[in-house]
């Protein structure tokens, strides 16, 4: 299961990319490393029929323990996959914001250029330099 998400280094990388605090990452990594036999490669150890004895209630307990192991196994895998999906969404968001910023910059530059051309045409094509904005404390 842990290998499905790139092992401990994959978990560390994923958590780092979504800005999980380093001390929390270290706690998670420590937990994964100390229990790696239970998580990797095949999930939790299957429940043997004889673990709880031979009675009817022991068989029921074994069945429910096996179901609990499967639920925990799936929950852990889904949690790590959820973090990876979040990371992917954050990266997509970042790319889209960067693209939107670049598009806005290009549109602003095009508008500024068109405005300058219009000003130049209005004043007889004298190629008027762009106006400077005054700053506080200046005489202009």
């Amino acid at each position: 299961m842990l290998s499905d998400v790139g092992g401990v280094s994959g978990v560390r990388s994923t958590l780092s990319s979504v800005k999980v605090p380093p001390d929390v990452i270290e706690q998670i990594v420590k937990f994964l490393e100390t229990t790696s036999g239970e998580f990797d490669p095949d999930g939790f150890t299957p429940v043997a029929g004889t673990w709880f004895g031979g009675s009817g209630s022991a068989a029921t307990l074994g069945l429910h323990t096996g179901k609990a192991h499967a639920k925990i196994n799936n929950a852990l895998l889904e949690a790590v996959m959820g973090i990876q999906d979040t990371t992917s969404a954050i990266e997509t968001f970042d790319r889209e914001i960067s693209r939107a910023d670049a598009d806005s910059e290009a549109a602003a530059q095009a508008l500024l250029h068109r405005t300058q051309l219009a000003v130049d045409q209005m004043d007889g094509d004298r190629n008027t330099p762009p106006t400077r904005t005054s700053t506080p404390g200046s005489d202009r």
Side-chain angles (χ1 to χ4, degrees):
M1 179 189 119
L2 193 55
S3 61
D4 294 338
V5 293
V8 172
S9 63
V11 172
R12 185 187 302 272
S13 173
T14 300
L15 293 173
S16 295
S17 67
V18 294
K19 308 294 187 238
V20 172
D23 59 321
V24 174
I25 293 173
E26 290 310 312
Q27 289 175 356
I28 292 169
V29 167
K30 182 178 178 184
F31 173 76
L32 291 174
E33 288 175 343
T34 58
T35 58
S36 63
E38 296 175 26
F39 295 124
D40 199 24
D42 298 317
F44 290 97
T45 304
V47 177
T50 58
W51 276 12
F52 302 104
S55 69
S57 58
T60 301
L61 181 58
L63 174 69
H64 289 289
T65 301
K67 288 180 179 182
H69 282 196
K71 290 284 188 182
I72 292 170
N73 198 15
N74 289 337
L76 290 170
L77 182 57
E78 288 174 5
V80 173
M81 287 172 42
I83 291 170
Q84 288 177 329
D85 289 345
T86 300
T87 300
S88 177
I90 289 170
E91 289 168 351
T92 300
F93 176 78
D94 183 49
R95 281 192 307 274
E96 289 175 1
I97 287 294
S98 295
R99 190 176 317 125
D101 284 348
D103 291 347
S104 295
E105 174 68 19
Q109 290 297 326
L111 179 60
L112 182 62
H113 180 71
R114 286 194 311 266
T115 303
Q116 188 64 47
L117 288 175
V119 168
D120 288 345
Q121 286 177 354
M122 289 182 350
D123 71 0
D125 273 341
R126 288 184 294 183
N127 195 12
T128 308
T131 59
R132 293 189 312 192
T133 58
S134 62
T135 55
S138 71
D139 57 347
R140 199 176 139 107

